[in-house]
Amino acid sequence: QVQVMESGGGLVQPGGSLRLSCAASGSILSIKFMGWYRQAPGKQRELVATFTSGDSTNYVDSVKGRFTISRDNAKNTVYLQMNSLKPEDTAVYYCNAEVVTALLPIRIAAYWGQGTQVTVSS
């Protein structure tokens, strides 16, 4: 089995910071893609930041200059450093991982975490 789990969410005041982490575990040969998404109540899930197996990173325009995605390949973990948080950043943040499975049949599959709540409020 492959499991993806987020952590680090919480309540923070506007202008504050949080650091989210996402760890992929299980029968994994390699990770092809990991990224962060978020979903606010009544809205569709949107991509926030991605980090591929290469060195490429992508951010939604609304978080550029404030959020930074990073990774630790040895731990199959990605992080999302969120600075200068705004109330509109309030959402459930989800991690998505596309992995090469270690068990037969070897294949590439995507897995989602359960999400971690981020609330930005005074």
Side-chain angles (χ1 to χ4, degrees):
Q1 295 182 351
V2 175
Q3 185 175 6
V4 176
M5 184 174 296
E6 308 94 338
S7 62
L11 175 64
V12 65
Q13 294 183 344
S17 299
L18 284 174
R19 189 192 191 205
L20 307 183
S21 63
C22 170
S25 61
S27 300
I28 299 171
L29 286 177
S30 63
I31 296 179
K32 303 289 290 184
F33 165 92
M34 294 190 80
W36 288 98
Y37 298 74
R38 67 186 180 187
Q39 187 168 19
K43 297 184 178 180
Q44 293 184 328
R45 188 172 300 184
E46 68 172 348
L47 186 149
V48 178
T50 63
F51 199 101
T52 69
S53 60
D55 294 326
S56 298
T57 58
N58 292 285
Y59 300 91
V60 67
D61 286 344
S62 61
V63 309
K64 288 182 178 178
R66 300 188 298 120
F67 292 9
T68 302
I69 187 171
S70 60
R71 68 180 181 181
D72 185 336
N73 290 337
K75 298 180 179 180
N76 289 336
T77 300
V78 293
Y79 306 92
L80 185 67
Q81 179 66 46
M82 305 185 295
N83 298 325
S84 301
L85 284 162
K86 304 175 181 179
E88 50 263 43
D89 295 318
T90 296
V92 177
Y93 283 71
Y94 297 91
C95 178
N96 177 256
E98 185 178 85
V99 309
V100 179
T101 61
L103 300 179
L104 295 177
I106 297 177
R107 63 189 181 95
I108 299 175
Y111 298 87
W112 288 93
Q114 294 182 342
T116 184
Q117 177 71 50
V118 172
T119 302
V120 184
S121 176
S122 61

